[in-house]
């Protein structure tokens, strides 16, 4: 089995910063892409940022220039540095990993989610 454990969410004022982390562990053979999604109340889950094993990145237009995704392949960990946060960034943030599981083959895994609230 594979687990994704997120950390780093919380309450921050507009203009502030947070750094999210997501560590994957378990029966992992290799990890392809890792990413962060978010879901605000009453809205669909949306992609925030993604990064491939080679380091190529993709961002939602709404976060370009403010958020930076990175990963440590040796630690199977992905990070999301969020700067200049806005109230509209408030959501539950979910980590995602597209990986090869020793027992199940290629599979998509999700973390449990971490709340980010931007408010004064």
């Amino acid at each position: 089995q594979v687990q994704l454990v997120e950390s780093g969410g919380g309450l921050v004022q507009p203009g502030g910063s947070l750094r999210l982390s997501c560590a994957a562990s378990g029966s992992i053979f290799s990890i392809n892409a890792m990413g962060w999604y978010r879901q605000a109340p009453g809205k669909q889950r949306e992609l925030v940022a993604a990064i491939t094993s080679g380091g190529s990145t993709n961002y939602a237009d709404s976060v370009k220039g403010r958020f930076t995704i990175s990963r440590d392949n040796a630690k199977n960990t992905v990070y999301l540095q969020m700067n200049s946060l806005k109230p509209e960034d408030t959501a539950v943030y979910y980590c995602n990993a597209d990986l090869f599981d020793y027992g199940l083959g290629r599979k998509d895994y999700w973390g449990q989610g971490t709340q980010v609230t931007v408010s004064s």
Side-chain angles (χ1 to χ4, degrees):
Q1 287 188 344
V2 174
Q3 298 82 37
L4 301 183
V5 179
E6 300 143 341
S7 60
L11 172 65
V12 64
Q13 292 186 342
S17 299
L18 283 175
R19 188 189 193 214
L20 306 183
S21 299
C22 171
S25 63
S27 57
I28 299 169
F29 176 72
S30 65
I31 301 178
N32 300 320
M34 299 187 79
W36 290 95
Y37 289 72
R38 67 186 181 187
Q39 187 167 18
K43 295 188 177 181
Q44 290 189 335
R45 189 174 296 189
E46 63 175 357
L47 174 68
V48 176
I51 185 168
T52 68
S53 57
S56 297
T57 57
N58 181 40
Y59 294 93
D61 287 342
S62 60
V63 307
K64 283 180 181 177
R66 300 188 298 122
F67 291 10
T68 302
I69 190 170
S70 60
R71 64 189 280 178
D72 184 332
N73 290 332
K75 296 181 179 179
N76 290 337
T77 299
V78 64
Y79 306 95
L80 185 68
Q81 178 65 44
M82 304 185 293
N83 298 328
S84 302
L85 282 160
K86 304 176 181 180
E88 50 263 44
D89 295 317
T90 295
V92 178
Y93 284 69
Y94 296 91
C95 174
N96 172 267
D98 170 18
L99 59 84
F100 283 92
D101 182 310
Y102 276 112
L104 302 176
R106 186 171 184 174
K107 192 173 178 182
D108 217 33
Y109 284 92
W110 292 89
Q112 80 283 1
T114 185
Q115 178 70 45
V116 171
T117 302
V118 184
S119 175
S120 55

